Amino acid sequence: MKTQYVVETCTFHGLTKQRRWHRVHTGPSLMDCNAYVGSTIASMYAHWRPERALDLFRVRGVRTSA
């Protein structure tokens, strides 16, 4: 089994601001996914505090068959 890494970002819904996670990037390594998150934060969330923008992303390892 091979591990592939997925970057997900969240959106907030409803009165309770429930998080929903959406897959935005799939990469072969954790380093690749962290680079994607870093470049996205630098380009889209430059006006935010970096630690606040990091809360919008998560990286998960997903096992695939191959």
Side-chain angles (χ1 to χ4, degrees):
M1 295 191 102
K2 185 178 175 185
T3 301
Q4 197 171 29
Y5 293 90
V6 174
V7 177
E8 295 175 330
T9 188
C10 70
T11 54
F12 300 97
H13 294 269
L15 297 174
T16 60
K17 301 294 183 195
Q18 181 180 4
R19 285 184 184 212
R20 290 190 186 155
W21 292 96
H22 309 278
R23 184 177 292 190
V24 293
H25 178 75
T26 303
S29 68
L30 190 58
M31 228 168 55
D32 175 64
C33 290
N34 285 331
Y36 174 82
V37 170
S39 66
T40 302
I41 288 173
S43 63
M44 295 180 67
Y45 299 101
H47 59 283
W48 286 29
R49 291 190 324 257
E51 56 280 350
R52 184 173 176 205
L54 275 174
D55 289 341
L56 298 176
F57 294 92
R58 71 179 180 188
V59 178
R60 296 186 311 119
V62 178
R63 291 184 183 172
T64 60
S65 61

